[in-house]
Amino acid sequence: MRFAALGSIVLFAGNALLAGDARAERAAPVPPVDTTRRDVGVGLSVGGLVLGSVGAGMYFLTQPRGEDLCGCASKAWVFPTVLMSLGGAMAVTGIPLWITGQIQSDRAKTQAQLLIGPLGGGVRLRF
């Protein structure tokens, strides 16, 4: 009988301590999630697509037509080609940054906690 009473006291005390820890954890502020990588990736991708589109538009507008089909002396293709190249490089750099920023922010939201008490235990997952 004494062991049952002692076990009950230990069980109640352990649960009270664990509940106090859980309340203290809920009261602690959650650190902000770093979204810099995701935002930079979106900016680079959108900027690269716009820059590439402007370069492609300029390239097709400066193509020789009619009697100017030779185009031997024309260097009008250089600047639009540089714009398209820069836009493509920006988009190719921005997409992986956006993807890794999403993965990083998703992982920061997920938490796992292992609770071990005197007569039991538990696992708590937060998403």
Side-chain angles (χ1 to χ4, degrees):
M1 184 74 169
R2 290 183 198 171
F3 291 115
L6 180 63
S8 297
I9 292 172
V10 171
L11 178 65
F12 290 133
N15 284 337
L17 288 174
L18 289 177
D21 289 342
R23 274 185 250 128
E25 182 181 319
R26 272 186 252 134
V30 178
V33 177
D34 185 26
T35 59
T36 305
R37 191 178 287 179
R38 182 187 65 193
D39 295 342
V40 169
V42 169
L44 278 174
S45 298
V46 171
L49 292 175
V50 168
L51 193 63
S53 299
V54 168
M58 288 176 62
Y59 180 78
F60 288 115
L61 288 176
T62 58
Q63 287 294 313
R65 290 184 184 85
E67 65 274 351
D68 294 337
L69 285 179
C70 173
C72 300
S74 176
K75 299 290 184 195
W77 59 272
V78 175
F79 184 65
T81 304
V82 169
L83 286 180
M84 287 188 292
S85 300
L86 285 175
M90 287 171 63
V92 166
T93 305
I95 291 171
L97 283 175
W98 177 75
I99 292 171
T100 57
Q102 289 294 105
I103 292 170
Q104 181 181 13
S105 67
D106 288 344
R107 284 189 183 158
K109 294 177 186 175
T110 305
Q111 294 178 353
Q113 185 178 18
L114 177 64
L115 304 171
I116 300 175
L119 296 176
V123 176
R124 184 186 323 181
L125 297 174
R126 294 182 184 174
F127 297 98

